[in-house]
């Protein structure tokens, strides 16, 4: 029953996305940014950050596409000039749980990947608890509690959750080495594993490699601290006699790490080139005790999906859900004597782990001050140690449930020592209850201070945990005092149902489920860019096109969400130093000086994409002030005559515009004197305050003659009120400036797209060189601009002849590029990608230097004549790491063969006695 309840909880929690009805990913948040916002009906609050939508999912789709072609893409060329992809573990390229993405449609893969990891957490916890001596029902319950605990649920669709799902697998694998199975363990392979300790290292290696491949090593690091404590505890209890088992366990960890070296070594070397000082931790970087309120009431401080979260930090980082029923069982484990079948010392270890984790995660102070000097703790938020804490508490809850199943008929301990232990357990249980109760009171007071609706929300969400605690406590008391063991056990089997109800009350409103149509839908803007970029790049202001979501459309962008190459990041940030930047997100401002920056010319930004609400760039004539209004209803139009080039028509909405149930647009159509349509544009009408509305049109090419402009409202059931007279609205214009700014409006729909006429091609020829050793002077030159046929270098280089060349890209698959050059003289092939680190080049098969150029890109010296330039990604350390991983993999195969041979070998007389 416990197993069925756990599986059904996971399946019903994920829901219909498992069968393709919806997507188990928060892609609805795309509609909060242009161009998708033009089709949205309003904001889409969610419990998750954008990481899963703009970083993980698009890149995992690229990896899945490569896997379907039996390839591992090493480089993502679409984000911030290019970033590593499969070469490092960031995106889980070799994740065992994410491997299902290669077999399923992209929309279906997130749900099944989550299902596999959650079932893995459930099953591995079951295996581990069975080895400790718990019966099946208690082991399944412990797995259910852990699989639906706060850390795993809150980080679902991140690698953090998948790594945490492997924690019990690693403890199980290590336990097979350092300790014999408890008498209740029934797995035959467990019972025979200790006769060949060396082969027992293989499961450890497999799990460790899987953890590293998942892509967030710091969470795996927390688990390794727990494993180290587990092995050390066994050594102490064995008075050091178990050192051989400890060495086998350490060897398994080393072997698994060696298997993953192919990604870990390039990752470690890459970190040397990145500034990750923002991750440095301090003694104040911990969760407050008030966050413990979420351990029994997950939405004690509100829910981001309801738009009312007001708690500590953010709920993904603070969520500590265990469940009211589980907390009662933890208290039982502390107060009651250990179950008869439990391996000795087990309860004490997990109590100690829980105490240390609580002190570090929620207390801070001296313990954290010491911990932040240790690896992992020094540059990783200690709140993520909740992964180990919640696993420890799930183990204790399973122990408590085992004690309940034993009932009152079990042997009762006697003696002063037993009474002392029981008294200490009661004291600790009371202390835990007081802390959790204090946290709940703190949350209730905060809700009281919040708007009135928040208090009713708090009360409403307190019903389930309150009933769960009360019901579980009653069941525990009755089961422990039951007249017969069978009666008590039947009563106790209500507890898994309570755990399931609590879990569903948590995961159903938390996990994101969005419409299938919201999975990176094509928009007019993405279709325009796909048809016109031709391998070049676009630049987008702020959150337009959701930085890094462009990977889903295979469109190269200047900005993005990733660990950026330092030179590229510094150069882009210098365009507008006032633009706020995130630690891993590179964005571009909407200022006109940004759109016309010569730096973007050098980075091959052929187009600039602006949100519809950004005033159109150019010479502006605002509409004249008016105290009267003009009403434009759905389907109605107004026409006026204009003359000369035009970028936008400007009208004023004195009362703003209220968004309705569907999309709304103000369309502009320009016709020549013969009535032919020469330009069209439209402006999405979102929720607007009183504001000037710019309706852009691709009309820069219009001559000086007259033309007519028609404005038409496409907003079913709505009316747009404009300043003007009853006969016509007051109108203004935006025209090209007198001095050419290098911009041309090319597209106006769900965004405004400008062609940047001065932008260089991503792959182009430079026939002149500018040598500037000073970094400050190079940056100054980049901001001022220089000749299009020149390249800016930072040191002595072969001279360029000044002669032109024909350049033809023969192949460009992301990881490598081949370019044919027919040069009339010596010069430089410039590739405007962020490939100064980890890339190599050859000319006609002979190695060639990749020279840093134009601030953040590269150049290759090429002599006169016909040549083929080959550039490819070969990250530092990958080749020796590949050899190391290959050798380690062969060792794993040898260990597996030894295990198979031994299983098939008949037992000796000694083994059967």
């Amino acid at each position: 029953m416990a197993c069925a309840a756990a599986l059904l909880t996971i399946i019903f929690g994920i829901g219909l996305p498992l069968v393709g009805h919806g997507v188990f990913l928060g892609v609805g948040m795309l509609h909060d940014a242009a161009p998708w916002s033009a089709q949205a009906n309003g904001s889409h609050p969610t419990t998750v950050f954008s990481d899963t939508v703009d970083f993980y999912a698009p890149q995992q789709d690229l990896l899945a596409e490569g896997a379907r072609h039996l390839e591992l893409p090493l480089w993502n060329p679409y984000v911030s000039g290019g970033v590593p992809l499969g070469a490092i573990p960031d995106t889980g390229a070799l994740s065992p749980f994410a491997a299902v993405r290669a077999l399923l449609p992209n929309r279906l893969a997130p749900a099944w990947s989550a299902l596999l990891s959650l079932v893995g957490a459930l099953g591995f916890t079951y295996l581990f608890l069975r080895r400790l001596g718990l019966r099946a029902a208690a082991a399944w319950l412990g797995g259910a509690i852990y699989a639906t605990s706060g850390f795993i649920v809150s980080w679902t669709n991140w690698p953090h959750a998948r790594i945490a799902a492997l924690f019990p697998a690693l403890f199980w694998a290590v336990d097979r080495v350092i300790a014999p199975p408890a008498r209740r363990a029934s797995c035959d392979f467990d019972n025979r594993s200790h006769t060949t300790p060396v082969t027992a290292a293989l499961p450890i290696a497999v799990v460790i490699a899987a953890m590293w491949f998942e892509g967030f090593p710091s969470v795996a690091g927390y688990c390794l601290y727990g494993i180290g404590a587990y092995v050390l505890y066994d050594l102490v209890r064995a008075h050091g006699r178990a050192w051989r088992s400890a060495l086998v366990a350490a060897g398994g960890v080393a072997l698994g790490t060696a298997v993953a070296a192919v990604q870990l070594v390039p990752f470690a070397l890459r970190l040397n080139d990145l500034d990750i000082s923002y991750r440095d931790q301090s003694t104040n970087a911990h969760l407050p005790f008030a966050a413990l309120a979420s351990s029994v009431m997950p939405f004690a401080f509100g829910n981001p999906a309801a738009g009312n979260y007001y708690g500590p930090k953010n709920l993904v980082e603070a969520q500590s859900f265990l469940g009211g029923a589980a907390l009662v069982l933890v208290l039982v484990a502390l107060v009651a004597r250990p179950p008869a079948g439990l391996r000795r010392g087990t309860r004490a270890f997990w109590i100690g782990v829980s105490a240390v984790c609580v002190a570090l995660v929620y207390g801070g102070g001296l313990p954290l001050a010491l911990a932040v000097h240790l690896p992992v703790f020094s540059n990783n938020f200690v709140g993520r140690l909740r992964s180990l804490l919640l696993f420890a508490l799930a183990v204790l809850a399973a122990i408590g449930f085992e004690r309940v199943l034993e009932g009152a008929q079990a042997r009762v301990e006697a003696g002063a020592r037993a009474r002392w232990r029981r008294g200490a357990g009661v004291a600790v249980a009371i202390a835990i209850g007081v802390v959790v109760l204090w946290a709940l009171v703190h949350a209730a007071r905060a809700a009281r201070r919040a708007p009135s609706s928040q208090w009713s929300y708090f009360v409403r969400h307190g019903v389930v945990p309150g009933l769960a605690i009360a019901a579980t406590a009653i069941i525990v008391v009755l089961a422990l005092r039951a007249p017969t063991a069978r009666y008590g056990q039947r009563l106790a089997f209500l507890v898994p149902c309570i755990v399931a109800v609590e879990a569903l009350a948590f995961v159903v409103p938390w996990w994101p489920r969005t419409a299938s149509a919201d999975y990176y839908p094509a928009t007019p803007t993405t279709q325009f860019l796909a048809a016109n970029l031709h391998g070049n790049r676009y630049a987008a202001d702020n959150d337009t096109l959701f930085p890094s979501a462009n990977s889903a459309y295979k469109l190269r962008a200047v900005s993005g969400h990733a660990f950026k190459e330092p030179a590229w990041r510094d150069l882009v940030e210098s365009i507008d130093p006032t633009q706020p930047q995130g630690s891993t997100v590179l964005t571009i401002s909407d200022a006109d000086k940004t759109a016309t920056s010569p730096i973007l010319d050098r980075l091959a930004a052929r187009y600039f994409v602006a949100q519809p609400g950004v005033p159109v760039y150019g010479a502006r004539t605002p509409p004249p002030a008016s105290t009267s209004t003009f009403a434009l209803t759905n389907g109605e139009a107004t026409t006026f005559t204009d003359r000369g080039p035009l970028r936008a028509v400007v009208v004023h909405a004195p009362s703003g515009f209220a968004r309705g149930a569907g999309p709304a647009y103000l369309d502009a159509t320009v016709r020549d004197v013969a009535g032919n349509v020469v330009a069209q544009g439209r402006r999405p009408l979102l929720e607007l305050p009183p504001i000037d509305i710019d309706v852009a049109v691709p009309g820069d090419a219009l001559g000086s003659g007259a033309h007519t402009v028609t404005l038409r409202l496409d907003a079913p059931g709505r009316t747009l009120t404009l300043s003007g007279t009853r006969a016509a609205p007051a109108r203004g214009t935006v025209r090209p400036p007198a001095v050419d700014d290098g911009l041309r409006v090319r597209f106006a729909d769900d965004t405004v797209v400008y062609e940047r006429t001065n932008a260089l091609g991503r792959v182009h020829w430079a026939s002149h060189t500018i040598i500037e050793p000073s970094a400050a002077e190079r940056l100054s030159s980049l901001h001022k601009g220089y000749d299009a046929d020149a390249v800016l270098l930072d040191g002595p280089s072969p001279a360029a002849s000044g002669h032109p060349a024909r350049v033809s890209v023969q192949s460009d698959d992301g990881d490598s590029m081949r370019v044919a050059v027919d040069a009339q003289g010596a010069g430089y092939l410039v590739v405007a990608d962020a490939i100064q680190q980890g890339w190599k080049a050859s000319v006609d098969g002979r190695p060639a230097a990749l020279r840093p150029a134009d601030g953040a890109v590269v150049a290759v010296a090429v002599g006169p004549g016909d040549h083929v330039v080959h550039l490819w990604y070969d990250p530092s350390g990958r080749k020796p790491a590949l050899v190391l991983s290959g050798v380690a993999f062969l060792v794993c195969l040898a260990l597996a063969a030894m295990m198979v041979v031994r299983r098939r070998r008949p037992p000796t007389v000694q083994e059967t006695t």
Side-chain angles (χ1 to χ4, degrees):
M1 179 177 177
C3 175
L7 289 174
L8 290 175
T9 300
I10 293 172
I11 292 171
F12 282 119
I14 297 175
L16 293 177
L18 286 169
V19 293
H21 188 76
V23 181
F24 193 67
L25 189 68
V27 285
M29 69 174 65
L30 290 174
H31 292 284
D32 290 332
W36 306 277
S37 56
Q39 297 296 324
N41 294 324
S43 181
H44 291 69
T46 179
T47 55
V48 299
F49 299 127
S50 64
D51 298 16
T52 57
V53 175
D54 67 354
F55 181 79
Y56 287 110
Q59 300 201 88
Q60 287 169 344
D61 287 351
L62 292 176
L63 291 166
E65 181 181 346
R68 294 179 192 120
H69 294 88
L70 303 180
E71 297 174 351
L72 176 62
L74 301 179
W75 185 260
N76 179 356
Y78 306 112
V79 176
S80 296
V83 294
L85 184 59
I88 59 177
D90 278 14
T91 52
L94 301 177
S95 159
F97 289 132
V100 69
R101 287 181 172 271
L103 305 175
L104 296 173
N106 291 339
R107 290 180 175 86
L108 201 59
W112 281 92
S113 178
L115 177 66
L116 288 179
S117 63
L118 292 168
V119 171
L122 171 66
F124 290 134
T125 305
Y126 168 83
L127 288 176
F128 177 62
L129 294 176
R130 290 289 282 157
R131 279 195 59 82
L132 296 182
L134 303 188
R135 67 190 74 196
W140 283 123
L141 183 69
I145 291 171
Y146 182 57
T148 57
S149 61
F151 186 87
I152 288 182
V153 171
S154 63
W155 288 105
T156 300
N157 287 330
W158 272 275
H160 310 50
R162 296 193 293 270
I163 295 173
L166 291 169
F167 280 20
L170 187 57
F171 276 96
W172 166 81
V174 170
D175 192 77
R176 294 180 71 245
V177 174
I178 67 173
R183 60 191 179 194
R184 188 172 276 130
S186 60
C187 301
D188 182 61
F189 56 84
D190 277 339
N191 289 326
R192 296 191 293 177
S193 63
H194 289 275
T195 55
T196 311
V198 174
T199 59
L202 178 60
I204 299 175
V206 171
V207 177
I208 283 291
M211 280 186 164
W212 295 136
F213 284 140
E214 284 296 344
F216 206 86
S218 54
V219 175
Y222 282 142
C223 183
L224 287 178
Y225 274 107
I227 288 294
Y230 195 62
V231 174
L232 182 62
Y233 182 72
D234 181 74
L235 278 172
V236 171
R237 292 183 69 247
H239 304 290
R241 292 190 298 271
W243 62 271
R244 291 183 179 178
S245 296
L247 287 178
V248 172
V253 172
L255 181 60
T257 302
V259 170
V262 65
Q263 286 192 328
L264 290 180
V265 171
F267 175 75
L269 294 175
R270 175 172 164 77
L271 288 181
N272 294 331
D273 298 326
L274 300 177
D275 180 10
I276 57 173
S277 59
Y278 70 92
R279 298 180 64 89
D280 292 345
Q281 298 298 300
S282 68
T283 56
N284 296 323
H286 64 86
L287 292 173
F289 270 111
L292 282 170
S294 63
S295 64
V296 295
M297 188 176 171
F299 304 121
F301 294 95
N303 185 352
N308 63 353
Y309 182 68
Y310 60 97
K313 205 169 175 63
N314 61 70
L315 194 49
V316 174
E317 292 281 18
Q319 182 57 260
S320 307
F321 177 75
L322 184 73
L327 181 62
V328 172
L329 295 176
V330 170
L331 298 182
V332 171
L334 295 175
V335 172
R337 63 162 183 80
L342 184 68
R343 185 189 300 158
R344 292 189 60 185
T346 295
R347 184 179 68 162
F349 174 79
W350 291 108
I351 290 174
V353 170
S354 301
V356 170
C357 290
V358 168
L360 292 172
V361 174
Y362 303 98
L366 180 60
L368 186 58
L370 297 174
V372 294
H373 296 291
L374 299 174
V376 181
F377 287 94
S378 62
N379 58 6
N380 188 54
F381 178 50
V382 75
R384 294 169 186 173
L385 189 60
R386 300 183 337 274
S387 52
L388 183 60
L389 169 62
L390 292 172
F391 177 60
L393 292 175
V395 172
L396 290 175
I399 293 173
F401 189 59
E402 177 74 18
R403 179 64 186 87
V404 173
L405 290 174
E406 286 185 350
Q409 306 303 313
R411 177 178 58 85
V412 178
E413 281 188 319
R417 186 175 181 181
R419 288 194 297 271
W420 180 87
R421 287 179 176 177
R422 192 177 300 112
V426 170
V428 172
I430 291 174
I432 292 174
V434 168
V435 170
V436 174
L437 181 61
W438 174 86
L440 288 169
V441 169
H442 184 279
R445 288 178 175 175
R448 281 287 193 187
R449 293 192 297 267
S452 57
S453 60
Q454 191 62 51
W455 172 246
S456 61
Y457 182 92
F458 179 86
V459 172
R460 195 166 61 251
H461 281 76
V463 172
V464 171
L467 292 177
I469 292 173
T472 305
I474 293 172
I475 291 172
V476 166
V477 171
L478 294 178
L480 291 175
R481 296 179 177 273
T484 65
R486 177 170 295 184
Y487 177 81
Q489 289 173 3
R490 288 178 178 176
L491 194 61
F493 274 113
L494 293 175
V495 175
C497 298
I498 297 174
V499 170
V501 170
E502 278 195 284
L504 287 172
F506 170 38
V507 303
V508 169
W510 179 280
W511 277 335
R513 301 169 196 82
T514 50
S516 298
D518 287 340
Y519 193 83
Y520 305 103
T523 70
T525 294
T526 59
Q527 291 172 334
F528 173 84
L529 292 174
N532 292 277
L533 275 181
H534 303 303
N536 294 304
R537 228 170 246 112
Y538 73 85
D541 69 329
N542 298 300
D543 290 333
T544 301
L545 281 163
F546 231 106
S548 286
N550 56 290
S551 292
Y553 302 91
K554 297 184 178 180
L555 302 173
R556 286 182 167 89
V558 171
S559 56
H561 180 179
F563 289 102
K564 293 87 58 180
E565 295 300 315
W568 187 278
R569 176 203 62 206
D570 294 344
L571 186 59
V572 173
E573 288 182 352
S574 74
I575 296 174
D576 185 355
T578 65
Q579 172 74 356
Q581 301 289 352
S583 54
T584 58
V585 179
L586 182 65
T587 60
I588 295 175
S589 74
D590 57 21
D592 55 356
K593 69 175 183 179
T594 300
T596 58
S597 170
I599 289 178
L600 292 183
D601 296 340
R602 293 285 160 178
L603 301 184
R606 178 67 66 185
Y607 294 97
F608 190 89
V609 186
Q611 302 177 51
V614 174
V616 173
Y617 305 124
R620 174 177 296 270
T621 302
S626 174
T627 57
S628 301
T629 59
F630 172 83
L632 197 61
T633 61
N634 177 52
E636 290 186 344
T638 178
T639 300
F640 59 92
T641 301
D642 187 59
R643 181 180 294 275
L646 184 68
R647 283 189 179 175
V649 178
V650 185
V651 293
H652 181 75
S655 57
F657 184 78
R659 186 162 195 167
Y665 297 91
L666 186 59
D667 298 334
T669 303
V670 182
R671 290 181 171 84
D672 60 19
V673 292
N676 300 313
V677 175
V678 292
Q680 288 181 302
R682 61 188 338 204
R683 160 71 185 272
L685 299 177
L686 310 178
E687 189 77 26
L688 298 177
I691 194 174
D692 282 351
I693 300 175
D694 292 11
V695 186
V697 292
D700 289 69
L702 294 175
S704 59
H707 46 261
T708 61
V709 180
T710 300
L711 294 179
R712 179 181 178 277
L713 180 66
D714 181 9
R718 280 158 286 175
T719 298
L720 176 63
T721 301
L722 303 173
S723 296
T725 66
R726 291 186 177 181
R731 302 179 303 276
T733 58
V734 178
R735 303 189 187 280
V739 178
D740 186 11
D741 58 1
L743 299 179
R744 303 287 186 271
V745 175
R746 283 288 309 278
F747 178 85
D749 196 303
D750 41 12
T751 64
V752 178
V753 180
Y754 300 85
E755 182 180 7
R756 305 184 68 261
T757 59
N758 295 327
L760 301 176
R762 193 177 125 257
V763 181
H764 63 272
W765 178 255
S767 57
H768 295 83
T769 57
I770 302 173
I771 309 299
E772 181 52 71
S774 168
E777 291 300 322
R778 287 198 302 273
L779 185 60
S780 176
S781 297
L782 286 162
H783 279 283
K784 293 176 183 177
Y786 43 89
D787 291 342
D789 61 352
V791 62
L792 179 63
L793 303 174
D794 60 2
S797 302
S801 65
H803 294 95
R806 289 196 302 271
V807 173
S808 174
V809 178
Q810 295 180 333
S811 65
D812 186 7
D813 62 5
D815 289 356
S816 65
M817 177 188 304
R818 287 186 180 274
V819 182
V821 178
D822 180 8
Q824 296 181 22
Y828 286 85
L829 178 72
V830 180
V831 180
D833 288 348
I835 56 176
Q836 293 183 355
Q837 302 291 333
W839 280 71
K840 296 181 178 179
S842 67
V843 177
D844 299 329
R846 293 184 294 273
L850 267 181
R851 303 173 188 276
D854 290 342
V857 304
V858 297
V860 180
V862 180
D866 292 334
H867 304 281
V868 174
V869 180
H870 181 206
L871 296 90
W872 69 97
Y873 183 47
D874 185 18
S876 301
R878 179 173 172 81
K879 288 183 179 178
L882 190 60
V883 172
L884 177 60
S885 293
V887 171
F889 182 72
L890 292 177
V891 172
C892 288
L893 290 180
L895 291 177
M898 291 171 62
M899 293 178 68
V900 171
V901 169
R902 185 181 177 278
R903 286 178 181 279
R904 293 180 176 179
R905 178 173 57 86
T908 64
V909 174
Q910 184 178 0
E911 289 175 329
T912 58
T913 57

